[in-house]
Amino acid sequence: MTKKIKLSELGSLFGGLDIQALEGVKIEGDVEIDLGQLGFNPQMAYALGHETAQVAFHLLNISRILGYPVDQMLGGQAAAPKRLSKLIESKFSVGKMEEWKTPIQEVVLGATSSDGGSRKSTVTLGGENSLPYYFDSPMPHRNYVTMDVFDMPINMAKAVKSNYEDVINSPAEWAKKVVRDFGADMVTIHLISTDPNIKDTSPADAAKTVEEVLQAVDVPIVIGGSGNPEKDPAVLEKAAEVAEGERCLLASASLNLDYARIAEAAKKYNHVVLSWTQLEINAQKELNRKLMKQCGVARENILMDPTTAALGYGLDYAYTNMERIRLAGLTGDAELNFPMSSGTTNAWGAREAWMVSSPLKEDSDWGPREYRGPIWEIITGLTLSLAGNDLFMMMHPGAVNVLKEITQTLYGSKETEPLNIDNWVSAVL
Amino acid sequence: MKLNSPLQVYKYLPQINCAECGDATCMAFAAHLIDRSKKLEDCPPLLKDEFKKKYIELQTLLAPEIRQITIGVGEHARKIGGDDVLYRHQLTFFNPTAFAYDVWDTMQESELVERINKIQNFKKFYVGKFLRVNMVAVRCVSGDALKFAGTVKKVSETTGLPLVLCSFDPAALKAALEVVKDKNPLIYAATEKNWGEVAELAMNYKVPVALFSPDLDKLKSLAATFNEMGIKDLVLDPGTYPQGKQLKETFERFVKLRRAGIKEGQKDIAYPLMAVPLGAWLIYKDAVTASYWETVLASVFIVRYADVMMLHSLEPYAMLPEVHLRDTIYTDPRTPVKVAPGVNEVGSPTKDSPVIVTTNFALTYYTVESDLSSNKINCYLAAVDTDGIGVEAAVAGGQLTAAKIKDTFQKANFDFKEKTTHSTLILPGLAARLQGDVEDATGLRIMIGPPDSGRIPGWMEKNWPPKPK
Ligand code: SF4
């Protein structure tokens, strides 16, 4: 901020203020000075009173130029503390991030009948122009949660399992339950039984499960393999075929399996590819590039999973990896500006989430685990939401609830009565 | 800081390469000043009279963008602020968010002492250290200055943790300060209404002071005014609203203040920030809901820029994620987190239990360890010193070798003949190519485990115990 005034106008600015310290200083002539370009001298400010300080500083500079002995005049006054009787009125302002010029790609999951699918609703991810919830630019879409459904009973932490005991043998019922009762925006069907080391279910049988889930719910779905790199391409191909046109998310293409087959299936049957790498930004760039350049997957059909590590078990890497990816995307890296997905369920791998008590006798009491598990999932997800994650794959209904509440509050869609916090200090809690 | 390359710093150093700082050259020392791993005072020549001017100049030029202040005295004194970057990967964040837990002056004495002990005794082991909480905030609820001072006295007799004295009544603050004037407490808070008297207290008792206003113009006015009066140890509380649009705006205020301080170098507001997640208790009366929401609020502001925060819930399910998240955000990303190399027992291994190898990269190690323990697999788990690098990269980079593996067992005095019936070692799947080398180096039978420790249970079912040769 630069303001030009004439020296002759200074007098009026000093009106009514204590300018004793300037006694003996006379200004003559009519020199134009530049306010706001020169530094600010605290000693001077101290001597003159804040409201006049900035003006006076320049005045004194000028005085110095004109040969007045201002330095002598000010000497020796700095020691005594200074009392002010009036606040220095200030205005706060801060700029926006000019370097965030590139928006994150928008990706639509699910397709309604008008677009060749059978979903009632779709989910749009991405489109951001800033870090999440920042004032620079409103987030175009809220965060979404897809809840896990498995094609066979699996080991789960007790706190999770108790919610699914009635549906554990029926993926279709399970899917219905998470949408109807737990507010899932989407459903992930994990075809883990296809793993040759588990049940080795055939791709054709696995595809039947996918069809059942598509019939049971009308939200967009994610189709997950077993994580077996040899088997997954065949499983996802078959699943993609039976779900043709539904714009499902195929999870996942990675560098350690035949990603080209998964990319091909997505293109052929109109689905979205989840590009999964393990906590390594350069690998993420490489895979995205390969999917686009080598396999010809369109930008609007790519979502990234840069890997979620649980709170206390590598979340620092996962968080920073995502934040770096998002910042790179916003500042123009066209190989990284895609929306992101988090396997937030990984939080349940943390022993703090599921163990009855600490294995270490030195630790303070860990308290009841029923409460530790869900909050572990919430905080793992919330932390990544702040780094830029868009879609959350989750398991515990309570955790889903709280994560949605906080992410939607920061997104700006939660209205509440204004609260007065001015007396929090004396509140009886 | 105002300098950002070692060359710029070098210009101010004695340039005699005397190595007293522990670095061979002044240039190397300059690099440590830039990454803040060393202090100016580590260079003795610089402290001599002839370099005094340069020393003072460097002090200013190397000062962090956000002012660093100290609360409390002695071994528990806590520094807050001192940050130079907006994102941790750009350097690292300094001085982890201090957690202040509240007590209040209407508590029964026994209740008070019990609560303080819970606060000061809380600890959680993590990667070789204990995570703890740091301060006690005493709230004046009674409105009675004497009662408040009495409580503060009791608190200071019970704990050495730094104190935050909370009242908007200058008389109450003054009474409490009289009791703990040599303890360097933080006083909370100066507002638009009481600032003159609170400033007087901060000056007279020379203590750090928090300024409170959700209106950033007012907050900046307060900060500028205090600064002008020579009070520089300030903490800014831009108001933490616990819900709705007000919470969204709270988040925005933290981002704005920190961006202004670090990116735009706005000195007027470049002070440590305070969040008050405790506000969750103003809207939720049920303890579980309030604790959950408080943890959520704390997490948001641990990630985005709070340097000190006021908390209420002492429930383990609130404290554990909070201390872990703080560690997550403040861990120095420049140094890989390592565990001590060695051979550790998981569960209660017997002579028939497997012996498994992994690296000393903390993330890998703890992942494998929790995969094993959660599946109740009793075994020996060896952490090979790979300089904290994960399995795949360490095999590729030569940090995980047959010689290193052998060395790990030798140093641990682990004799396979005595400890096992099978003389067998299991390598991670991602280290399969070391099989032959390790066999030759150790003379043990080598099995290759799965590439992901999550698959160890399935692998065990098929492959363990090993079939006789
Ligand atoms: S102690 Fe100082 S003068 Fe000596 S080498 Fe180190 S930086 Fe240079």
Side-chain angles (χ1 to χ4, degrees):
Chain A
M1 182 194 69
T2 296
K3 187 181 169 204
K4 294 205 165 155
I5 61 164
K6 302 264 172 155
L7 262 189
S8 54
E9 296 163 34
L10 279 176
S12 59
L13 287 171
F14 285 123
L17 292 161
D18 175 10
I19 50 167
Q20 267 178 0
L22 278 177
E23 248 172 34
V25 178
K26 271 192 218 140
I27 305 292
E28 284 165 21
D30 211 3
V31 188
E32 203 174 47
I33 55 171
D34 207 1
L35 286 188
Q37 288 222 325
L38 299 161
F40 191 83
N41 180 334
Q43 196 189 20
M44 200 79 67
Y46 162 71
L48 293 175
H50 51 279
E51 272 150 297
T52 58
Q54 202 169 19
V55 170
F57 172 53
H58 297 287
L59 175 71
L60 290 172
N61 262 342
I62 298 299
S63 311
R64 210 178 268 119
I65 292 162
L66 300 175
Y68 290 93
V70 287
D71 293 324
Q72 284 164 348
M73 181 192 82
L74 287 166
Q77 293 194 10
K82 161 161 194 182
R83 267 83 181 166
L84 297 175
S85 56
K86 233 180 120 220
L87 274 183
I88 304 174
E89 293 297 335
S90 310
K91 285 270 172 237
F92 176 85
S93 73
V94 68
K96 293 191 174 182
M97 294 292 291
E98 299 303 330
E99 48 270 65
W100 293 345
K101 289 197 166 78
T102 318
I104 303 306
Q105 175 68 46
E106 269 190 356
V107 174
V108 180
L109 296 176
T112 58
S113 55
S114 58
D115 291 311
S118 65
R119 306 297 88 197
K120 269 260 172 55
S121 58
T122 61
V123 160
T124 306
L125 304 165
E128 296 94 336
N129 286 285
S130 72
L131 281 181
Y133 325 125
Y134 273 41
F135 64 95
D136 300 79
S137 162
M139 221 165 125
H141 309 290
R142 68 169 171 91
N143 302 93
Y144 288 90
V145 174
T146 176
M147 289 183 75
D148 295 326
V149 169
F150 293 86
D151 69 345
M152 60 177 277
I154 55 148
N155 279 331
M156 285 181 261
K158 217 172 141 220
V160 177
K161 196 172 189 176
S162 59
N163 297 288
Y164 300 115
E165 248 137 12
D166 54 334
V167 293
I168 204 144
N169 288 304
S170 165
E173 290 307 312
W174 192 338
K176 273 189 200 160
K177 185 169 188 181
V178 296
V179 174
R180 184 190 59 222
D181 298 348
F182 301 149
D185 300 307
M186 295 177 53
V187 170
T188 304
I189 173 67
H190 294 277
L191 302 169
I192 51 162
S193 75
T194 59
D195 189 322
N197 298 319
I198 299 178
K199 275 193 184 167
D200 205 12
T201 305
S202 71
D205 285 345
K208 286 201 193 101
T209 306
V210 173
E211 285 182 297
E212 281 166 31
V213 171
L214 281 168
Q215 267 153 30
V217 296
D218 54 19
V219 296
I221 71 164
V222 182
I223 303 170
S226 65
N228 183 297
E230 282 78 42
K231 183 85 177 279
D232 271 2
V235 171
L236 292 176
E237 266 170 4
K238 192 70 197 165
E241 187 186 335
V242 301
E244 178 162 14
E246 297 285 7
R247 288 192 67 73
C248 303
L249 180 62
L250 304 183
S252 329
S254 74
L255 287 166
N256 40 22
L257 53 65
D258 192 351
Y259 55 82
R261 282 176 70 184
I262 292 161
E264 208 43 52
K267 279 178 5 187
K268 192 163 167 196
Y269 303 114
N270 189 19
H271 299 297
V272 177
V273 179
L274 185 61
S275 168
W276 173 54
T277 56
Q278 286 174 293
L279 298 175
E280 169 53 54
I281 189 169
N282 291 315
Q284 189 69 61
K285 257 176 94 73
E286 180 189 342
L287 181 56
N288 293 353
R289 179 164 62 238
K290 285 182 161 153
L291 289 172
M292 289 187 286
K293 299 268 156 64
Q294 179 191 329
C295 309
V297 179
R299 290 182 55 84
E300 63 270 24
N301 294 333
I302 295 176
L303 203 69
M304 301 184 285
D305 177 358
T307 293
T308 291
L311 175 60
Y313 295 82
L315 183 61
D316 48 335
Y317 295 89
Y319 169 81
T320 281
N321 189 45
M322 275 195 175
E323 189 169 69
R324 288 179 64 198
I325 287 173
R326 179 49 52 93
L327 289 170
L330 291 170
T331 47
D333 190 327
E335 287 169 350
L336 289 174
N337 62 339
F338 298 97
M340 293 187 279
S341 171
S342 151
T344 314
T345 303
N346 288 352
W348 289 92
R351 54 166 51 162
E352 288 81 355
W354 57 265
M355 243 183 217
V356 179
S357 60
S358 174
L360 294 170
K361 59 181 185 314
E362 296 87 355
D363 275 0
S364 300
D365 185 5
W366 281 12
R369 63 172 166 175
E370 303 86 283
Y371 296 134
R372 265 187 273 127
I375 196 89
W376 223 259
E377 189 176 5
I378 294 164
I379 302 306
T380 299
L382 171 58
T383 305
L384 296 180
S385 86
L386 293 162
N389 189 67
D390 300 271
L391 178 68
F392 297 85
M393 301 194 178
M394 299 180 71
M395 267 217 96
H396 191 281
V400 169
N401 213 345
V402 177
L403 185 95
K404 282 185 136 185
E405 183 71 22
I406 183 63
T407 55
Q408 287 175 34
T409 301
L410 294 174
Y411 168 73
S413 57
K414 292 279 171 184
E415 302 279 354
T416 47
E417 283 296 306
L419 183 78
N420 186 331
I421 57 166
D422 289 351
N423 283 319
W424 75 266
V425 159
S426 52
V428 177
L429 305 180
Chain B
M1 56 180 75
K2 297 287 170 272
L3 302 181
N4 46 34
S5 86
L7 196 63
Q8 290 173 316
V9 175
Y10 178 77
K11 291 188 182 134
Y12 294 86
L13 293 175
Q15 305 181 5
I16 52 173
N17 299 338
C18 71
E20 279 187 67
C21 55
D23 285 311
T25 64
C26 295
M27 189 63 94
F29 181 68
H32 285 299
L33 290 175
I34 289 289
D35 72 17
R36 291 178 58 177
S37 57
K38 287 200 171 156
K39 308 186 299 290
L40 281 179
E41 291 70 27
D42 295 330
C43 165
L46 190 61
L47 305 179
K48 291 186 187 145
D49 268 358
E50 50 179 316
F51 289 107
K52 193 162 180 201
K53 189 162 163 273
K54 302 253 181 195
Y55 171 68
I56 290 168
E57 281 175 317
L58 269 180
Q59 261 184 336
T60 317
L61 293 167
L62 292 174
E65 294 295 337
I66 304 300
R67 190 176 172 85
Q68 175 175 287
I69 75 166
T70 304
I71 302 168
V73 290
E75 54 161 340
H76 293 296
R78 190 87 186 169
K79 289 193 184 114
I80 61 169
D83 278 317
D84 261 321
V85 292
L86 288 173
Y87 312 107
R88 59 190 290 276
H89 68 268
Q90 293 172 324
L91 182 67
T92 184
F93 289 151
F94 294 90
N95 303 325
T97 313
F99 289 173
Y101 285 84
D102 77 327
V103 297
W104 48 100
D105 66 352
T106 50
M107 291 176 95
Q108 297 299 321
E109 188 169 308
S110 58
E111 200 193 349
L112 176 70
V113 170
E114 193 190 332
R115 187 167 164 89
I116 294 168
N117 283 332
K118 258 190 158 175
I119 297 165
Q120 64 182 349
N121 295 334
F122 173 84
K123 57 182 181 166
K124 166 67 166 63
F125 188 76
Y126 182 63
V127 196
K129 63 181 186 244
F130 282 102
L131 306 175
R132 293 175 186 275
V133 300
N134 324 102
M135 298 185 185
V136 177
V138 191
R139 295 190 294 120
C140 178
V141 172
S142 67
D144 175 345
L146 283 181
K147 197 168 165 66
F148 182 54
T151 303
V152 169
K153 182 156 186 284
K154 186 70 204 167
V155 175
S156 76
E157 287 163 2
T158 313
T159 181
L161 291 180
L163 304 183
V164 189
L165 308 179
C166 306
S167 172
F168 295 118
D169 172 12
L173 289 176
K174 185 169 196 304
L177 277 168
E178 265 312 307
V179 177
V180 289
K181 56 177 160 229
D182 52 350
K183 298 275 168 63
N184 193 34
L186 171 67
I187 53 174
Y188 181 99
T191 65
E192 221 191 317
K193 294 196 190 102
N194 69 11
W195 66 270
E197 287 164 277
V198 175
E200 195 71 24
L201 294 175
M203 275 192 271
N204 294 342
Y205 292 91
K206 299 196 169 42
V207 289
V209 55
L211 313 177
F212 169 57
S213 176
D215 174 336
L216 293 186
D217 291 340
K218 295 261 160 55
L219 192 61
K220 184 177 173 185
S221 303
L222 283 167
T225 308
F226 275 61
N227 188 48
E228 178 104 359
M229 288 187 279
I231 308 166
K232 317 246 175 196
D233 283 349
L234 305 177
V235 174
L236 309 183
D237 175 5
T240 305
Y241 289 87
Q243 62 184 350
K245 286 263 155 56
Q246 288 178 313
L247 172 54
K248 181 176 177 54
E249 288 158 10
T250 300
F251 178 80
E252 292 176 354
R253 286 195 293 276
F254 275 81
V255 170
K256 285 178 178 173
L257 284 168
R258 193 46 51 96
R259 181 185 295 175
I262 285 181
K263 186 161 184 287
E264 300 189 1
Q266 295 189 28
K267 277 286 156 220
D268 278 355
I269 50 76
Y271 293 100
L273 303 178
M274 176 189 284
V276 186
L278 172 150
W281 295 80
L282 301 174
I283 51 170
Y284 294 117
K285 299 299 167 204
D286 151 62
V288 176
T289 312
S291 292
Y292 258 56
W293 197 249
E294 183 181 67
T295 310
V296 161
L297 296 178
S299 302
V300 168
F301 296 107
I302 287 168
V303 174
R304 294 292 180 223
Y305 307 136
D307 299 289
V308 52
M309 57 176 54
M310 302 289 200
L311 297 162
H312 180 72
S313 179
L314 293 177
E315 293 295 340
Y317 57 84
M319 297 177 86
L320 289 170
E322 285 162 352
V323 294
H324 271 288
L325 182 62
R326 176 179 62 181
D327 190 78
T328 296
I329 297 301
Y330 282 85
T331 288
D332 190 337
R334 298 169 298 178
T335 41
V337 195
K338 299 184 240 181
V339 297
V343 183
N344 304 313
E345 296 185 358
V346 178
S348 353
T350 65
K351 285 187 152 196
D352 294 325
S353 303
V355 184
I356 299 173
V357 167
T358 187
T359 78
N360 76 329
F361 175 37
L363 173 53
T364 312
Y365 182 83
Y366 284 110
T367 308
V368 177
E369 202 224 88
S370 68
D371 286 339
L372 292 166
S373 59
S374 64
N375 287 291
K376 306 204 165 41
I377 297 171
N378 296 316
C379 64
Y380 293 100
L381 180 61
V384 179
D385 183 2
T386 58
D387 300 329
I389 296 174
V391 175
E392 200 171 13
V395 170
Q399 293 89 357
L400 184 60
T401 61
K404 282 260 186 90
I405 293 170
K406 186 180 173 196
D407 195 47
T408 306
F409 287 99
Q410 260 171 7
K411 279 199 181 134
N413 289 322
F414 189 93
D415 182 353
F416 279 80
K417 293 237 165 58
E418 173 199 316
K419 290 262 170 71
T420 74
T421 52
H422 49 69
S423 288
T424 301
L425 187 60
I426 303 171
L427 291 185
L430 295 171
R433 62 187 239 211
L434 299 179
Q435 183 167 22
D437 287 358
V438 181
E439 229 159 47
D440 294 348
T442 61
L444 298 169
R445 171 168 167 179
I446 306 300
M447 296 176 81
I448 301 301
D452 182 327
S453 61
R455 299 247 190 99
I456 292 177
W459 184 92
M460 290 278 292
E461 258 169 52
K462 271 197 192 154
N463 299 289
W464 199 263
K467 309 198 173 45
K469 279 185 203 179

